[in-house]
Amino acid sequence: MGFIEKNGLWNTSQSRQASEIVQRIELDGIQVVRFSFPDQHGILRGKAVVADEVKSAFSSGISISSSLLMKDTSHRTVIPIFESGDQSDMPEMRGSADMIMVPDPSTFRILPWAEHTGWILCDLYFRDGRRVPLSTRHVFQNMLEKLDTAGYSFMSGLEVEFHLMKLTDPRVALTDAGQPGTPPDVELLHKGYNYLTELYYDQLDPFFEILRKHIQALGLGLRGMEVEFGPSQVEFVFNAACGLKPADDMILFRSAVKQIARRHGYHASFMCRPRLPHVMSSGWHLHQSLCDATGQNNLFMAQCEDAPLSDIGMHWLGGLLDNAVPATVFSTPTINGYKRYRPFSLAPDRAIWGADNRGVMLRVLGEYGDRATRIENRVGEPAANPYLYLAAQVACGMDGMDRRSNPGPSADTPYSTDAPFLPATLEEAVGALEQCELFSREFGTDFVKYFIKIKKAEIRRYNLEVSEWEHREYFDMF
């Protein structure tokens, strides 16, 4: 009896899907399957196995080093792995001990850009069959299970902005290595500011067509592609779906776009605000609603003509506002992302809501009888870990329902309304998370302490770096 069966980690549907995948691998001539898991930053890591070894992976899982969970965004191991008492009180990880990647057969794809290659998303378990509590996919699964127990399901849809550029120099000389290495040199695909113009779309069309075909072949529910406001900035929009799927889709979408772009001589970046001339910040607008257990009935839909949302929707909205400041760590987890929160920039700078207003943090869309009624959270950056971003929305929304929170009136002047400001820096957001009981209760104290350690390590490195601004400001003056 293998690890997966012994610990009951698959349901009947997953076991059936695994058998079907084995048959499909043989019929379609798949030679390699990539087994990947989303790390703490929402980056895919894993191993590739040849086709003959897939059955073994479907029985015993695949071992992988636990030190991968201890790294910051430079891929440096910032939580000691060879000392006791410093792995968020998890001795199972001491010495970089192995975890087990357990594939989720429902996520299997054939990668259309990589010849004879399959792909499958995995969850992390300890050797005794327990979920690794630092695994972010598990964090979101746990929140969805709490919603399910209460008789609800979470519906979300993605609008993702990012920069798409021509690669001029990949910067792979020996001197470019490092943690992190030298970023590539790029040039624009469009010069910007002609928002949604067909002329710019046509300039992007040759590569857009390559992306579209591959993204649709992956079954990610692509709805549309748009020319964004900034130079070489684009947006992809996806259909809404329930549960884990939007987070899984976001993980695969980002990785797919970067891989496809590199193969064709382009560079795609989901960094919020690259250090490039005339750049515009990119956001990740997360549409969300609460449904009943069937996923068919929108519980945010207003029941009377003078209300923007149902009572449940208003309480959920209130929870998102009440916990907006500490939740920012999960929607905007990078130092760079806080440079987007600027007034009059189509990005929020404070925790407010408004009816169909693009300057607020929470834009309410819908009316009496509108089955598409939803809340659009405009706070996120496209580099966010989707499992943590979505899990945080569920935690905040459920808290608002439990307390019957009142979000107050709609804000018609988003940049002058008296309301709590969003954190100005990642350091400020981490400080708010440290004082917040909600996420320790919902995500687990061990996870929150661990995540704070990772973020503080990045902040320390950043604070020790001498910037170009500092050199220009002080070197000649003093």
Side-chain angles (χ1 to χ4, degrees):
M1 181 181 297
F3 177 81
I4 294 173
E5 184 181 0
K6 176 184 175 182
N7 292 286
L9 302 181
W10 281 351
N11 56 35
T12 303
S13 176
Q14 288 174 310
S15 296
R16 187 195 74 251
Q17 289 167 336
S19 297
E20 293 171 352
I21 290 168
V22 171
Q23 295 175 9
R24 186 177 178 188
I25 287 172
E26 184 174 350
L27 290 172
D28 291 345
I30 301 300
Q31 300 297 317
V32 173
V33 177
R34 300 179 188 177
F35 289 78
S36 301
F37 77 92
D39 75 357
Q40 54 277 21
H41 309 294
I43 300 299
L44 287 175
R45 300 180 186 267
K47 297 181 178 182
V49 305
V50 297
D52 290 344
E53 295 299 316
V54 171
K55 284 185 180 179
S56 175
F58 281 176
S59 173
S60 302
I62 297 177
S63 61
I64 197 161
S65 171
S66 59
S67 66
L68 292 173
L69 294 180
M70 305 302 171
K71 299 182 182 296
D72 69 0
T73 47
S74 72
H75 304 280
R76 301 169 192 238
T77 302
V78 296
I79 297 179
I81 57 176
F82 297 110
E83 299 175 18
S84 61
D86 207 3
Q87 295 103 38
S88 299
D89 301 320
M90 291 184 189
E92 300 90 346
M93 295 184 169
R94 194 169 302 150
S96 191
D98 277 345
M99 309 173 291
I100 307 297
M101 288 196 302
V102 173
D104 179 351
S106 69
T107 66
F108 179 77
R109 305 284 201 284
I110 294 177
L111 300 184
W113 64 88
E115 188 176 8
H116 305 306
T117 300
W119 178 91
I120 194 164
L121 196 58
C122 300
D123 289 310
L124 299 178
Y125 290 84
F126 290 130
R127 289 194 172 278
D128 61 4
R130 290 180 297 122
R131 290 180 173 182
V132 175
L134 307 186
S135 167
T136 58
R137 194 169 191 254
H138 283 321
V139 170
F140 188 32
Q141 287 171 328
N142 292 340
M143 294 308 305
L144 291 175
E145 288 167 6
K146 291 179 181 181
L147 260 186
D148 184 66
T149 299
Y152 303 115
S153 60
F154 183 62
M155 178 80 72
S156 56
L158 318 178
E159 289 183 2
V160 188
E161 298 170 350
F162 59 101
H163 289 90
L164 189 59
M165 299 183 173
K166 186 70 175 177
L167 186 66
T168 58
D169 185 350
R171 299 300 296 270
V172 291
L174 293 176
T175 53
D176 291 316
Q179 286 185 286
T182 307
D185 294 336
V186 297
E187 64 182 26
L188 299 177
L189 294 183
H190 72 76
K191 290 183 285 189
Y193 315 117
N194 288 2
Y195 179 49
L196 293 180
T197 56
E198 185 175 337
L199 178 63
Y200 274 3
Y201 184 94
D202 194 66
Q203 293 177 14
L204 290 167
D205 183 69
F207 187 55
F208 263 8
E209 275 299 286
I210 296 171
L211 281 179
R212 178 192 63 77
K213 290 174 184 177
H214 289 330
I215 297 304
Q216 286 188 309
L218 291 172
L220 299 187
L222 179 64
R223 185 174 180 177
M225 304 164 292
E226 300 174 4
V227 175
E228 261 300 330
F229 188 70
S232 248
Q233 190 180 40
V234 301
E235 181 178 57
F236 277 50
V237 182
F238 296 85
N239 291 317
C242 273
L244 270 176
K245 179 174 168 50
D248 287 346
D249 286 357
M250 180 64 169
I251 281 284
L252 182 52
F253 170 69
R254 284 195 310 215
S255 187
V257 169
K258 291 184 75 69
Q259 292 177 49
I260 297 163
R262 187 59 176 261
R263 284 172 175 251
H264 288 84
Y266 296 87
H267 178 72
S269 179
F270 293 85
M271 177 183 181
C272 178
R273 191 174 181 85
R275 190 172 177 272
L276 298 169
H278 313 296
V279 76
M280 295 290 293
S281 300
S282 292
W284 171 6
H285 304 152
L286 181 63
H287 295 253
Q288 59 190 282
S289 59
L290 200 63
C291 300
D292 61 12
T294 69
Q296 300 300 312
N297 298 305
N298 186 340
L299 301 180
F300 281 5
M301 187 172 61
Q303 303 303 309
C304 56
E305 292 188 6
D306 59 349
L309 295 169
S310 66
D311 288 344
I312 286 176
M314 293 300 283
H315 298 324
W316 187 279
L317 181 66
L320 295 178
L321 290 175
D322 294 342
N323 299 289
V325 173
T328 310
V329 178
F330 304 115
S331 66
T332 313
T334 73
I335 288 167
N336 177 259
Y338 292 82
K339 294 175 170 61
R340 173 173 166 260
Y341 298 155
R342 303 176 179 210
F344 308 104
S345 65
L346 295 176
D349 69 346
R350 63 199 72 194
I352 52 174
W353 76 276
D356 198 3
N357 189 317
R358 284 183 166 84
V360 297
M361 172 184 155
L362 299 171
R363 179 185 176 214
V364 173
L365 296 163
E367 57 188 4
Y368 172 66
D370 184 357
R371 296 184 61 187
T373 296
R374 61 200 184 277
I375 298 169
E376 177 192 6
N377 194 335
R378 299 174 61 83
V379 77
E381 65 169 321
N385 182 318
Y387 302 101
L388 296 181
Y389 189 3
L390 272 65
Q393 301 300 284
V394 173
C396 295
M398 290 184 71
D399 176 63
M401 289 200 302
D402 290 343
R403 296 183 296 100
R404 300 182 66 80
S405 178
N406 180 0
S410 170
D412 297 322
T413 54
Y415 298 112
S416 59
T417 297
D418 184 20
F421 280 89
L422 295 172
T425 64
L426 178 61
E427 190 167 12
E428 185 181 333
V430 168
L433 179 61
E434 287 184 295
Q435 303 301 315
C436 179
E437 295 181 1
L438 172 66
F439 292 109
S440 291
R441 183 175 72 245
E442 297 298 336
F443 290 3
T445 301
D446 281 340
F447 178 83
V448 171
K449 287 168 57 180
Y450 149 80
F451 197 71
I452 287 172
K453 284 183 181 179
I454 296 286
K455 293 292 112 183
K456 283 189 172 181
E458 294 171 22
I459 292 166
R460 282 194 298 270
R461 277 198 304 113
Y462 176 74
N463 287 338
L464 289 172
E465 189 77 15
V466 178
S467 68
E468 181 183 337
W469 184 94
E470 292 171 272
H471 190 75
R472 184 175 62 247
E473 191 81 2
Y474 305 128
F475 188 64
D476 188 40
M477 179 177 180
F478 292 108

